[in-house]
Amino acid sequence: MFGSRLLDTSPGRRSALSDLLGVSGRYTARPAHLRYMDGAGTSESGHGNYVSLAELAAQLKVSVQTIYDLRSKGRGPRGFRVGTQLRFRESEIDAWVQRMELADERRHAGGAS
């Protein structure tokens, strides 16, 4: 009864629907809420990859508390919250590590003179 009124979205019909609606197949291949979920945090808008607080701590082999402490002192990486979860752009992490390396070099160069 209701089956005849439902829209057929099987893979063979998607391209015909795309042509009919004038949209690319890229957007019809997966549901809208999953469109940007194929990479590990990679966005199609060019924002880059994102890392969670736990992932960052694991990469650096430090505790999550260490990252919180550095951030509270203004010496940690810039991040942002998604709800209650803290996220960091990998590009920001790289820039932060470079800043820390430079600061460490200056500290040791100043002490050696």
Side-chain angles (χ1 to χ4, degrees), residues 4-26:
S4 63
R5 301 186 79 175
L6 294 177
L7 182 60
D8 182 10
T9 58
S10 61
R13 294 281 300 149
R14 283 187 193 147
S15 63
L17 288 171
S18 298
D19 294 341
L20 179 68
L21 298 173
V23 295
S24 69
R26 176 176 91 142

Side-chain angles (χ1 to χ4, degrees), residues 78-98:
R78 290 187 329 177
F80 60 96
R81 292 203 178 268
V82 178
T84 60
Q85 301 296 313
L86 198 51
R87 295 286 183 266
F88 305 91
R89 278 198 183 122
E90 285 188 351
S91 59
E92 175 55 35
I93 295 167
D94 292 339
W96 170 65
V97 169
Q98 286 180 342

Side-chain angles (χ1 to χ4, degrees), residues 5-103:
R5 301 186 79 175
L6 294 177
L7 182 60
D8 182 10
T9 58
S10 61
R13 294 281 300 149
R14 283 187 193 147
S15 63
L17 288 171
S18 298
D19 294 341
L20 179 68
L21 298 173
V23 295
S24 69
R26 176 176 91 142
Y27 290 108
T28 59
R30 43 181 28 196
H33 68 286
L34 298 177
R35 203 173 287 152
Y36 301 107
M37 299 289 290
D38 43 359
T42 304
S43 71
E44 289 185 7
S45 58
H47 293 285
N49 291 331
Y50 306 108
V51 177
S52 71
L53 179 64
E55 290 168 334
L56 176 59
Q59 283 179 9
L60 296 175
K61 295 179 175 48
V62 298
S63 70
V64 169
Q65 189 61 50
T66 298
I67 305 295
Y68 276 127
D69 291 345
L70 286 169
R71 284 177 47 86
S72 71
K73 295 174 185 174
R75 296 179 36 216
R78 290 187 329 177
F80 60 96
R81 292 203 178 268
V82 178
T84 60
Q85 301 296 313
L86 198 51
R87 295 286 183 266
F88 305 91
R89 278 198 183 122
E90 285 188 351
S91 59
E92 175 55 35
I93 295 167
D94 292 339
W96 170 65
V97 169
Q98 286 180 342
R99 289 190 305 266
M100 289 185 49
E101 288 172 342
L102 288 172

